[in-house]
Structures are given as C-alpha cells and as structure tokens.
Amino acid sequence: MRFIIPVQFKFMVYHGMAMYPFLFLKNKNLVFDKIFVNHERIHFRQQLEMLIIPFYIIYFTEYFVNLWHYKNHEEAYLNICFEREAFDHQKNLAYLETRKFWAFLDYWH
C-alpha cells in the first residue's frame, strides 16, 4: 500500500474513509481486505485528480443534492459519482492500471 497511511479509529460509523494520504479504518485488519483497500485506492486517485479540496466540495455537494432527491442517506451516498465508480470497480484489482483520467465523469448523472 504505497503512499497510504492507515489510521485506526474504532468509533467510526463506516468501515473506512480515504482522505489522501490517510486511510481511516474502523478495524485495522481491513488493511488486509484487498477489495476494501482497492475501493479506497480508487478514491485516492479521484482525490488526486481533483486536487483534493475540489473532490470534497463536489462529493458533499452531490451527497446533499442526492439526499434531497432520494430522501434517504444510503441512496444519496450510493449515488455519488465517486462512490459509483469505486463500487463498480472495487473487485477489479487491476482497475487503477487501466483507469482513464477523470473516469468518475462516466458516473455523473
């Protein structure tokens, strides 16, 4: 896991959260879950492409627009373009080797 700094927080609501270069984990053993780590590595790539701060602005803006639209946290979260890309490709451990620049735009709706 080059350039990833795992940090464990047992009180986290979610299993993990990528905030470049940190990977915040609810359980330190998640660092060995290849699919989970690949999902978060996809987020790292998205964050770097967006120069980090704009990623979070778009992420949370899209979340709140989705929340207004779906009236449901889970649906709002799962329909963020960044999450859609990460969930679609998390099982493909070679995805980042072939991923095109700003691939999350294919998930924008």
Side-chain angles (χ1 to χ4, degrees):
M1 279 194 341
R2 219 170 65 197
F3 303 111
I4 297 175
I5 303 167
V7 180
Q8 181 178 353
F9 286 109
K10 292 183 180 188
F11 61 84
M12 286 182 62
V13 175
Y14 298 102
H15 292 292
M17 180 173 53
M19 294 182 76
Y20 189 83
F22 301 101
L23 177 55
F24 297 100
L25 306 166
K26 184 172 189 166
N27 179 324
K28 66 181 175 183
N29 291 327
L30 284 169
V31 77
F32 301 110
D33 182 333
K34 292 180 181 182
I35 293 171
F36 169 79
V37 170
N38 194 49
H39 178 103
E40 300 304 333
R41 287 181 69 225
I42 293 167
H43 287 318
F44 283 142
R45 179 72 59 85
Q46 295 164 340
Q47 291 168 15
L48 289 172
E49 288 173 349
M50 299 290 299
L51 304 176
I52 300 173
I53 300 299
F55 168 87
Y56 292 107
I57 293 169
I58 293 170
Y59 188 101
F60 289 111
T61 300
E62 190 171 0
Y63 171 77
F64 287 115
V65 168
N66 287 347
L67 189 59
W68 177 81
H69 180 264
Y70 294 106
K71 311 283 191 266
N72 177 285
H73 160 74
E74 191 73 16
E75 287 293 315
Y77 163 73
L78 291 173
N79 281 287
I80 296 169
C81 65
F82 302 114
E83 293 298 342
R84 291 174 63 213
E85 178 190 9
F87 278 114
D88 274 2
H89 299 285
Q90 67 187 7
K91 292 181 182 177
N92 178 356
L93 302 181
Y95 175 65
L96 289 173
E97 296 171 18
T98 59
R99 181 184 178 270
K100 66 180 182 176
F101 189 75
W102 284 23
F104 61 86
L105 289 178
D106 293 340
Y107 295 87
W108 194 274
H109 58 116

